[in-house]
Amino acid sequence: LAKTTQPISMDSYEGQEVNITCSHNNIATNDYITWYQQFPSQGPRFIIQGYKTKVTNEVASLFIPADRKSSTLSLPRVSLSDTAVYYCLVGDMGSNYQLIWGAGTKLIIKP
Amino acid sequence: KAGVTQTPRYLIKTRGQQVTLSCSPISGHRSVSWYQQTPGQGLQFLFEYFSETQRNKGNFPGRFSGRQFSNSRSEMNVSTLELGDSALYLCASSQTTGTRPEQYFGPGTRLTVT
């Protein structure tokens, strides 16, 4: 079964760049790596996804090395509203395919 | 487009009872996934239904079951409730399956078992 590891929590300050790394092994070779953001009392919300190398959208960048054993979510110039829990999501490479969510990283942005 | 809706939003049940939760996906979405979220365990995948068939199942006991109807609406049932089943149950819909399609989450059903 695929396993994921993320830091439990991180602190940063407004205006800084924040990088959150998720380590994952035994993931499906042809599946995407996806990141979600969750605010209190809400369901998770899609941020970004990628397969290899680097992907960038209007809110974040995602870096995935060639071996795909990790992925790094990069949030540029964070603000207080980026305080949330961030999850990585991968697919399991086993015969019984299932989605594997990371435990989540609680990011706290300070003024 | 209307988002994912879940009913009820809050529920209080007694140990030993059973409960049914409902999820209406976004129009056109054929995949519905269910998750259990607790402070201690985080987001735990329960199962996924696609075109009325259970496609994937997480590591939960058989007391947790679900189904999907022809209009893609889904229900989740928990029988013989235990105190540990108290959690936020989230439903998510997507157009297809796998990690690629963006999942859209509902607001959740907060279940309290006493």
Side-chain angles (χ1 to χ4, degrees):
Chain A
L1 196 67
K3 282 191 173 182
T4 60
T5 304
Q6 298 180 238
I8 294 174
S9 64
M10 294 179 67
D11 291 352
S12 189
Y13 292 90
E14 283 190 294
Q16 298 295 305
E17 177 184 77
V18 171
N19 296 311
I20 306 174
T21 297
C22 177
S23 300
H24 31 71
N25 56 13
N26 297 324
I27 67 171
T29 53
N30 58 350
D31 223 350
Y32 278 68
I33 297 164
T34 309
W35 283 77
Y36 284 78
Q37 174 192 56
Q38 186 178 26
F39 297 111
S41 304
Q42 295 183 24
R45 185 178 69 173
F46 174 92
I47 302 175
I48 195 169
Q49 70 178 182
Y51 182 72
K52 267 185 184 175
T53 63
K54 177 183 174 181
V55 178
T56 298
N57 63 19
E58 63 276 8
V59 298
S61 294
L62 181 61
F63 300 90
I64 302 171
D67 64 8
R68 291 177 25 101
K69 291 187 176 180
S70 67
S71 58
T72 299
L73 173 72
S74 181
L75 304 173
R77 299 178 299 281
V78 294
S79 64
L80 296 177
S81 62
D82 292 316
T83 294
V85 179
Y86 293 83
Y87 295 92
C88 60
L89 169 65
V90 299
D92 180 49
M93 72 176 297
S95 58
N96 182 26
Y97 175 85
Q98 59 178 288
L99 301 180
I100 305 296
W101 288 76
T105 298
K106 185 170 184 178
L107 175 65
I108 298 174
I109 305 301
K110 302 174 183 177
Chain B
K1 214 180 217 183
V4 177
T5 58
Q6 292 187 245
T7 56
R9 291 293 311 279
Y10 303 91
L11 205 51
I12 299 175
K13 289 286 188 179
T14 304
R15 256 186 317 177
Q17 289 185 314
Q18 76 166 17
V19 67
T20 299
L21 311 181
S22 181
C23 172
S24 292
I26 290 173
S27 177
H29 286 192
R30 296 164 62 192
S31 170
V32 173
S33 298
W34 287 90
Y35 296 88
Q36 181 194 66
Q37 188 169 41
T38 59
Q41 296 296 318
L43 199 63
Q44 302 285 314
F45 171 72
L46 281 157
F47 29 66
E48 178 194 10
Y49 285 87
F50 181 74
S51 295
E52 301 179 66
T53 302
Q54 187 180 88
R55 189 174 185 273
N56 303 298
K57 191 177 190 304
N59 299 319
F60 277 82
R63 300 185 297 107
F64 292 81
S65 63
R67 59 178 175 169
Q68 187 180 32
F69 302 95
S70 58
N71 61 359
S72 293
R73 190 178 69 85
S74 177
E75 287 183 346
M76 189 192 93
N77 184 274
V78 188
S79 62
T80 319
L81 283 166
E82 300 177 358
L83 295 179
D85 297 332
S86 294
L88 179 67
Y89 289 88
L90 291 163
C91 160
S93 77
S94 59
Q95 291 183 323
T96 59
T97 64
T99 60
R100 180 69 196 274
E102 180 177 344
Q103 294 189 52
Y104 294 81
F105 283 80
T109 294
R110 173 75 63 184
L111 172 65
T112 302
V113 181
T114 62

